[in-house]
DNA sequence: TATATTTGCTAAAAGGTTTTATCTTGCAGC
DNA sequence: GCTGCAAGATAAAACCTTTTAGCAAATATA
């Protein structure tokens, strides 16, 4: 295993000082009055031997690591997977790379990970937080570490956030069921979590239903249950309440709803869900979608974080991105 | 912004040497004959002030970073997203964390990323490679960097690999269509890539069809095309060849096949696809699946890589994991 | 009593950068 | 012949660890 070249190897081999090589490599040749001739000689040699600086040493010295920590609940959820994919690409274009992690309901582990990332001098964090994370995120902020939250803000954390227009999205989705689908009894299925995006969606549903004086029909599912339990509860909810339409607050619930409908041959056929899914047009009944604008969310998240890292942000930004309704 | 404590701050504040603190912190107190009293004093103090060692400095000194690079084609593909999720968890249990990246057909970028990860002294790589990556991976191996490939080996790269039993899986899938579904004309849809997993699946299909002397009906799709083009080609393939059954070599193709079937109301109703998808039971016609054993693949990948990093592996391991047939 | 050995601890180098402060030389101005 | 300044380069400190080699005192051995 060939030992890697260091900057001092370069300096020795060329008979110049380490400082000089460093200046040239960092584009400070002019500023530091290194002669063009020498600069060229160094650059040529560096290219010839394919020298690459040790990033660890660089980071240690500068305190910057050119990397961003991305924490989501579950990378195998298509919404997060897609957004991770976009964020990764955008960050790369800014010269940052992503260290990601999924937290999977394990708060203890999430905290450890944030600490771990912090120990690696990560330049900033992008987090779709769970509720117990307020303290540790506030600690980051206290240490002036840039943090952007997305998907859901935390009530007691005051930092940049990028979220979807959940209330309006759910409102439009419900109105779609009312006006286009002529629904009479619309159920709303959500989780028992108190995450803000879920509250927003419930609010939008309620607003629309209240508008027309329809009954509020809400089911809160505990996602910790087995799939069978969830499916069976959804069946009961749909049939007990004689629903002809359902708004699902998230993808995962819609899919379990479809399973219930198929398995128990339920009548309900006017469905809409938050978050698009490639197969929503293929299932029976088809599922319309309130689609979050993933590309735009990713763009804003990265823009804000990078600006903040570069110190170009003075006030806290709270961005809200509209959703698209995909009618089916 | 409070400056972070360093080990020398600890040493100064306690009036002991840096060396001593380091030894104690690294559990070498006994071995280095530090008195229990002092060890306790240091540990108590470290806990009290919540000191965390700087991982960069640690890595710089030891040459180990306790991190693993995971490179896949596209993290938003559910197969990769799920496997990434599992790998991440298993690696964490071994004290490693994952730096992931999706390469998105951009070979140039993939090469840069591998170099970048290498520059950060990543302890090992897990890669689902594309074909142009042979050289750069061989370079890693030449520098004795541990590498495990999964999903698809590369013909000209000799390292550890974990793959599914593609030939057998496709064979069983085809036999299922023949024997259980009583299929008469079975088409096989794959991509135009020459990746080894695709070759294996084709081989399994051919073996089964040849067995019974049926016609070979194969369509190779260029995935660079737009969705409409793909859907339209699939429609032509299915209707021109009067297929009554189709085996899709991958998830993405099956979904486009379903779109073609729905959009053009095709007759074909005996479908099976590589890779499971939550909605395959909900669509019409339902899609059976040749499901790769994601948990086991992740386990083997991590086991091999960690062993290799720890120098516990002398020979090259080539692991093949069976698939499960999910009949619908 | 003199010599080994053990105990308990530490100085300093090493790892590879960046950056501050400084050094030498040549030249212009007077 | 002196001063001041610019050009062109560099030595050394700093970032924070780990680890080698070794020191001083106490204890054991002969």
């Amino acid at each position: 295993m060939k030992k890697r070249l260091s900057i001092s190897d370069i300096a020795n081999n060329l008979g110049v000082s380490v400082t000089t090589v460093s200046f040239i490599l960092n584009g400070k040749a002019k500023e530091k009055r290194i002669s063009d001739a020498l600069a060229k000689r160094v650059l040529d040699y560096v290219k010839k031997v394919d020298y690459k600086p040790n990033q660890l040493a660089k980071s240690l010295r500068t305190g910057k690591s050119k990397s961003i920590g991305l924490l989501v609940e579950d990378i195998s959820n298509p919404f997060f997977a897609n957004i991770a994919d976009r964020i990764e690409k955008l960050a790369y274009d800014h010269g940052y790379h992503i260290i990601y992690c999924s937290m999977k309901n394990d708060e203890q582990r999430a905290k450890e990970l944030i600490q771990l990332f912090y120990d690696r001098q990560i330049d900033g964090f992008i987090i779709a937080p769970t509720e117990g994370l307020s303290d540790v995120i506030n600690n980051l902020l206290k240490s002036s570490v840039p943090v952007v939250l997305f998907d859901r803000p935390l009530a007691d954390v005051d930092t940049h956030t990028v979220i979807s227009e959940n209330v309006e999205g759910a409102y439009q989705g419900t109105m779609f069921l009312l006006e286009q689908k002529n629904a009479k009894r619309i159920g709303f299925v959500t989780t028992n979590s108190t995450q803000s995006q879920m509250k927003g969606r419930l609010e939008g549903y309620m607003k629309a239903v209240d508008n027309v004086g329809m009954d509020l029909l809400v089911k809160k599912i505990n996602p910790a249950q087995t799939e069978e339990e969830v499916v069976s509860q959804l069946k009961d909810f749909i049939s007990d309440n004689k629903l002809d339409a359902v708004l699902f607050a998230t993808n995962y619930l819609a899919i379990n709803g479809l399973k219930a409908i198929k398995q128990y041959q339920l009548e309900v056929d006017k469905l809409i869900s938050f978050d698009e899914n490639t197969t929503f047009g293929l299932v029976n009944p088809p599922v319309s979608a309130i689609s979050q604008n993933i590309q735009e969310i990713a763009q804003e998240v990265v823009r804000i974080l990078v600006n903040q890292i570069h110190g170009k942000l003075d006030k806290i930004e709270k961005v809200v991105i509209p959703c698209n309704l995909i009618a089916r």
Side-chain angles (χ1 to χ4, degrees), chain A residues 61-188:
Chain A
R61 180 58 234 237
T62 61
K64 298 282 154 205
S65 65
K66 283 287 174 185
S67 51
I68 291 171
L70 171 62
L71 284 92
V72 298
E73 234 178 294
D74 178 4
I75 192 71
S76 62
N77 170 327
F79 173 69
F80 288 126
N82 276 301
I83 219 156
D85 190 51
R86 299 290 217 301
I87 285 177
E88 200 268 321
K89 162 139 190 44
L90 292 164
Y92 179 85
D93 292 344
H94 282 94
Y96 288 86
H97 73 123
I98 295 293
I99 302 185
Y100 91 96
C101 205
S102 46
M103 319 186 269
K104 286 279 187 172
N105 303 325
D106 188 341
E107 214 139 79
Q108 188 45 44
R109 184 154 157 248
K111 288 180 188 175
E112 272 174 55
L113 280 164
I114 291 177
Q115 178 67 53
L116 183 79
F117 284 8
Y118 178 56
D119 293 341
R120 305 217 165 221
Q121 327 239 117
I122 276 230
D123 294 340
F125 284 87
I126 297 173
I127 309 180
T130 49
E131 299 191 306
L133 259 38
S134 298
D135 288 354
V136 55
I137 294 176
N138 274 325
N139 279 341
L140 287 177
L141 295 173
K142 224 177 285 164
S143 311
S144 328
V145 179
V147 178
V148 177
L149 304 183
F150 76 101
D151 194 44
R152 42 192 105 154
L154 290 174
D156 43 1
V157 175
D158 192 29
T159 187
H160 312 277
T161 51
V162 179
I163 57 169
S164 284
E165 236 175 45
N166 288 300
V167 180
E168 181 64 14
Y171 177 80
Q172 296 294 347
T174 314
M175 291 310 286
F176 167 79
L177 293 176
L178 283 168
E179 294 177 348
Q180 311 292 313
K181 294 282 187 179
N182 211 1
K184 298 300 174 206
R185 291 182 63 79
I186 305 178
F188 181 72

Side-chain angles (χ1 to χ4, degrees), chain A residues 212-262:
Chain A
V212 295
M214 215 176 242
D215 291 352
L216 250 56
L217 302 160
V218 176
K219 179 75 190 175
K220 297 195 178 179
I221 295 287
N222 174 0
Q225 298 171 104
T226 67
E227 187 176 296
E228 287 93 76
E229 287 173 318
V230 172
V231 167
S232 142
Q233 287 177 18
L234 288 174
K235 180 208 67 169
D236 292 344
F237 177 59
I238 292 171
S239 59
D240 292 356
N241 294 293
K242 302 196 172 57
L243 303 180
D244 67 336
V246 184
L247 167 53
F248 296 95
T250 186
N251 218 293
Y252 146 84
L253 295 170
I255 288 174
N256 282 307
L258 284 166
K259 286 184 181 161
I261 292 168
K262 169 138 192 167

Side-chain angles (χ1 to χ4, degrees), chain A residues 229-297:
Chain A
E229 287 173 318
V230 172
V231 167
S232 142
Q233 287 177 18
L234 288 174
K235 180 208 67 169
D236 292 344
F237 177 59
I238 292 171
S239 59
D240 292 356
N241 294 293
K242 302 196 172 57
L243 303 180
D244 67 336
V246 184
L247 167 53
F248 296 95
T250 186
N251 218 293
Y252 146 84
L253 295 170
I255 288 174
N256 282 307
L258 284 166
K259 286 184 181 161
I261 292 168
K262 169 138 192 167
Q263 203 169 313
Y264 297 99
Q265 302 178 28
L266 305 175
E267 290 287 295
V268 58
D269 65 343
K270 298 157 187 164
L271 304 180
I272 190 164
S273 169
F274 251 88
D275 298 332
E276 169 65 332
N277 184 308
T278 17
T279 57
F280 277 171
L282 300 170
V283 293
N284 205 320
V287 183
S288 301
I290 302 155
S291 168
Q292 299 192 62
N293 199 327
I294 288 180
Q295 174 66 20
E296 212 170 317
I297 293 174

